[in-house]
Amino acid sequence: MSAVLQIIEILLPILYLGLTGLYARNFFDQEHEKKSARAGLYGLLGAHLGYLTLLGVAQHAWPLGSMAEFLSVLSVSLTITYAITERAEEDSNTGMFFLGIASIFQVFSSVLMEELTTKTHPLLLENPIYGIHVAFTVLGFAALAVGALDAVMYILLSRQLKSRELGLFFRRLPPLIRLETMSRIATITGIVLLGVGLALGHFVAIYILEDYNLWDPKIVIMDAAWALYFVGFLVVKLRGLSGIRMGYLSLAAYLGLMLTMILSNMLTNSFHSFQP
Amino acid sequence: MSKMSTEIGAISFSHQNTTLAERDLLAFSSSEIEQSLAIFRDKLGGEVGILSTCNRTEFYASGTCAPTLWEDVKDLVAGIKGVRPTRLPVPHQFYGAEAARHLFRVSASLESLALGEDQILAQVKDAHEHLLGAEEKSPVLDQLFQLAVRAGKDVRTNTTLCQGNVSISSVSVELAKKIFGQFKRFTILLVGAGETGVNAGVHFRAAGAKDFIIVNRGQERGEAVAEQFDGEYMPLHRLSDACVRADIVVFATGAQHPLLDLESMRNIMRARRNRQILLIDISNPRNVDPRAGEPDGVFLYNIDHLESIVQENLQERTDQIPLAETILESYVDEWDAYLRARRVTPTIAALSKHFKSVRQQELDHFRNKISEGEYELLEEFSKRLIKKLQHNPIIHLRKSAASNELRSEDLDLVIKLHGLLDDDS
């Protein structure tokens, strides 16, 4: 089992990067047929979900006990979100952006992934209630990532329209208003989901962990980052910033959140050890 | 290069060889075409088709008349249009494969005033419909127009010749779509109620816009245009208020000074809470100060910007011409193959008739000499026999005609061997 998982861990980033390349080729050259990319997308999703299931079965716990596993779940969540969008909109031109970011998450995940035999999992991960907290948190991060990606596309298209140099982004990307709306909805969804996820995390930990410490730096940093995201979004909405400034802020906020999460994870050995 | 054929002829009056007034004079309405087809056919003694659009009038003919087509129809056209024949312009004339190639190029819009325009294919279809609706059948021109319609579709499917907008109004709509998507929820403001502004409004309405505001110096004209678009009229001094409400603003006035500057645009954007706005300035001189396009969320395009987009799109279309011509050549080849096949069709029909006749003669000889059952067997046997005897010669004729290897001596030999000329007499 361990060998199979290791092979898939090597293959997944390669497949993600390959599929991103395929979508990029279709973005730049519309002559290519799109069926192979869509088949590849579903194949990759199947392989990734299969891998996470195998990992969960092998370690008898949710595959969310480490930063590597978290990034892998984040990657697959983004890919699922994109697959749903592509099917609903019948438009594969945004695939390059979604799969690009999912590839980055999966590359980091595979690099950071420990061998199954060397892994130790806290008992918390075996608790089924913990899954609800995890689901909200991962979906929250994925939604915020979608919001940031839509913001990136908004910025690219807006700059082309402003400069009147109407190139590929003008021809391929969805209308500006749609990107703005999608970014706003995804960001609101992300803030709500992540907020609920964090609150549930506190709730579950209080009742399950004996040595739960509310002042754990990781908890403080993550709560503060979420609060900043939330307040920042409210202020921006109330002040009525222009679309392009909203785009830059959304992107910066997401990058800040991810950086905060990575830094806070570096403070302790395990993502959920919660030791002071 | 395809072998030249003289089976069809075409005469063409278009923007390439006539003035607008001459084209107007020569234009045939749908009812005129219906009435004229039979007259032309009677006069020429062959098949005739007429293609008439706002930019071209063309006559296609098949039969012995083709090489002298213009001389034959000149008086007729002059009579229908009520002018002296000497007043008619000199047409472009095409014969054989060149005539077919010309129609295919027309159908693919390679000959159109606006390269890659879409309407011409529907107009070729209309000409084909008229042909099919005529009392007398036109098998050769029917085939020609069928191929032309297919060629036009093929070029549109397999090239980007007809993609990208090539008019100022359509480019404006395309730009607005890239910012706002659908127009149903958005407001269009027309500043100026002249022909240019109204034309732009018509394009936006055709693209789905519902909500219009018209700002005009003259109230009467402004209100009339507002009524035309089911919109609202606002006087010129309320332009800023109108801009706060609108999402797409089209400036098309004769004002000699800017109607919108940076400061007023900043105020407008503040009032709009920085919602995106597209300013399309198609006035000359410009109605919008170029600096008014600086604030975030303002997308300003003037006539020069739009014209350069039109030119880029036109260049992209022009780049597709070689590919389109390659596609059309395959249809010219198909047309030639059709004509070659047509040349052997009468011989094949005569051969088949000859065998049937011989069979019937022999069957008649036995009719009263054998029983009913035996006669039926003999009928079946003879039917199968002549089918097998005909098979190889017919296949050979068709194949060699299709591959352009059939010599007229071969055809003569078949005719002589079977006495087909005698059969005809």
Side-chain angles (χ1 to χ4, degrees), chain A residues 31 154 157-158 160-166 169-178 180 236-245, chain B residues 158 160 174-175 177-182 185-186 273-276 290 293-302 305 308-309 312 316:
Chain A
E31 296 298 307
Y154 181 97
L157 180 56
S158 178
Q160 280 206 339
L161 282 163
K162 191 85 179 166
S163 66
R164 304 177 194 100
E165 288 168 7
L166 307 178
F169 297 125
F170 176 80
R171 287 201 286 273
R172 307 277 196 268
L173 293 181
L176 213 52
I177 282 280
R178 196 193 303 167
E180 188 186 34
V236 160
K237 279 309 294 173
L238 290 173
R239 286 203 59 192
L241 281 192
S242 67
I244 189 104
R245 289 189 189 193
Chain B
N158 293 304
T160 53
E174 185 193 4
L175 268 173
K177 270 188 181 168
K178 209 61 203 182
I179 296 172
F180 298 101
Q182 295 181 338
R185 290 187 297 119
F186 299 100
R273 292 175 54 79
N274 292 306
R275 271 187 302 119
Q276 294 91 340
E294 285 176 11
D296 283 344
V298 181
F299 301 97
L300 168 63
Y301 285 76
N302 64 33
H305 303 133
S308 74
I309 297 169
E312 278 174 31
E316 281 180 24

Side-chain angles (χ1 to χ4, degrees), chain B residues 379-425:
Chain B
E379 245 187 338
E380 183 62 25
F381 163 76
S382 60
K383 205 176 189 177
R384 291 170 67 105
L385 182 67
I386 64 157
K387 201 174 170 187
K388 292 208 167 176
L389 287 173
Q390 285 180 98
H391 181 77
N392 278 342
I394 289 175
I395 293 295
H396 175 76
L397 282 174
R398 282 195 176 138
K399 275 189 177 170
S400 52
S403 60
N404 207 14
E405 290 167 354
L406 185 69
R407 298 172 304 170
S408 56
E409 304 94 279
D410 296 341
L411 216 50
D412 288 345
L413 187 64
V414 172
I415 291 166
K416 280 177 190 163
L417 277 175
H418 295 91
L420 300 182
L421 285 174
D422 301 340
D423 280 4
D424 280 351
S425 62

Side-chain angles (χ1 to χ4, degrees), chain A residues 205-218:
Chain A
I206 287 167
Y207 285 94
I208 293 171
L209 295 176
E210 289 170 0
D211 53 353
Y212 174 66
N213 179 4
L214 189 63
W215 298 107
D216 178 300
K218 188 182 290 182

